[in-house]
Amino acid sequence: MIKIKENHQNLFLYRRKIFPVIIGMCFSVWAFSTAANGAEYIYHFQSKAPQNNSIPHEALSRENLAQVRLFGDYNMTRNTQREGFKAYLKGTGAELTAHLTDSVSAGIGYGYSTVDLKQEGNKNRIDGDTYFVFGKYQPEKWYVSANMTYNHSQYKDKNPTINQSSADIYRGSLFSGYDMGNVHNYSGLKYTYVHQKEKENSAFSAPLQNGEVITAVIGTAYERAYQPTENIKLTPLFWLSGQYDLKSNSHQTVIDVSDSPFIYAFEGRRLHRLGLETGVQFRAAYKQAELSVGYGLNWRVSHTSQTGKLNLSWHF
């Protein structure tokens, strides 16, 4: 059901489409750098660990050379454009972040997820392996971060006689932001490309097409740390951002889980271009160990995606 033509013409078109996006990202980084260098208020430097997106959390200070993070996500998505549609994602994974210099940190991670899709009595499942790398450069309070994610999805139907299929999803993001005490402002671009690998796809008995999504994001976050004892630190965090899809495929639904490396796609009507994302997180740190719980909500017209999060980190 997924149709693909792997030829030189498609490769040429893909490069022609992505090249302007890369140029636009580079320009946005230069613009933010110029604005940040001219800001009046320069605060004491504190490097933060790069995350899967722009939301600032789980700080990595000069005293911590590395961090290991184990994470678990549970996401529930509903879309009223498709009658009776519901999707439930369960994902776990781990990542390693290293502090390379005073201003540069980088990391690598892996996650495994399962998605149960339900609509009008049809039941399908998507198993996904997600690999990601990320980096961050922060000379002062201004920073720029980048992330690259690769997801390989296996589509499985409850009926074993129906052909199974697979697809690859590539996602890249580039963000820039500025820390102003407890307030953190950020903006950037996310680029997602879905590439079907098999000729048949059982998901809802409809073809999944090649497609791309380009999303602009602008947001702000607020966090404040409390230290009741010498070894205990409590930090609540709140964030709010606006999103707009500059480009998307009209016959494809791409679900980008809030503050997470997990992503999946299926045949369907594209999401409304304008979106709103908000969330809260509470972190409790004891010496080198840190536990955090969080909740994220992504809302678009006729679409809601809610995510519960659990993280366990260890600083070295």
Side-chain angles (χ1 to χ4, degrees), residues 117-308:
L117 303 173
K118 300 179 181 180
Q119 182 191 15
E120 298 179 345
N122 295 323
K123 295 182 179 180
N124 304 90
R125 173 169 168 165
I126 304 175
D127 293 336
D129 292 289
T130 302
Y131 306 86
F132 54 94
V133 294
F134 48 88
K136 189 174 188 178
Y137 173 69
Q138 185 172 0
E140 292 291 343
K141 283 297 177 178
W142 167 82
Y143 81 89
V144 60
S145 65
N147 173 277
M148 292 294 294
T149 299
Y150 165 72
N151 170 273
H152 178 72
S153 296
Q154 292 282 348
Y155 293 78
K156 302 178 180 180
D157 194 276
K158 298 297 182 179
N159 186 346
T161 63
I162 297 180
N163 293 330
Q164 310 303 300
S165 61
S166 63
D168 290 332
I169 303 178
Y170 304 89
R171 180 178 63 185
S173 66
L174 185 64
F175 278 83
S176 182
Y178 198 78
D179 291 331
M180 302 177 63
N182 296 326
V183 179
H184 174 95
N185 299 314
Y186 56 89
S187 61
L189 290 174
K190 294 191 295 184
Y191 176 83
T192 303
Y193 180 73
V194 179
H195 179 73
Q196 64 261 29
K197 299 203 61 169
E198 308 291 343
K199 294 182 178 180
E200 299 293 333
N201 182 2
S202 62
F204 297 142
S205 300
L208 175 65
Q209 303 178 9
N210 288 345
E212 56 188 351
V213 180
I214 303 175
T215 305
V217 181
I218 183 170
T220 187
Y222 177 83
E223 66 175 344
R224 184 168 183 174
Y226 302 90
Q227 195 157 356
T229 67
E230 181 180 356
N231 295 323
I232 297 178
K233 185 178 181 181
L234 306 176
T235 308
L237 167 70
F238 168 80
W239 75 85
L240 176 67
S241 68
Q243 305 174 352
Y244 185 79
D245 291 341
L246 303 174
K247 183 177 182 180
S248 59
N249 190 321
S250 60
H251 300 290
Q252 186 180 86
T253 301
V254 178
I255 306 298
D256 193 349
V257 180
S258 174
D259 188 27
S260 171
F262 298 121
I263 187 171
Y264 62 96
F266 52 89
E267 181 278 332
R269 189 180 304 174
R270 69 181 175 192
L271 300 180
H272 194 275
R273 292 184 181 274
L274 184 63
L276 178 68
E277 183 172 293
T278 185
V280 293
Q281 185 185 77
F282 181 80
R283 304 197 310 267
Y286 177 74
K287 295 184 178 180
Q288 287 83 15
E290 182 174 277
L291 176 68
S292 67
V293 294
Y295 168 81
L297 170 65
N298 188 296
W299 177 87
R300 301 195 184 204
V301 175
S302 304
H303 173 86
T304 56
S305 181
Q306 304 179 69
T307 306

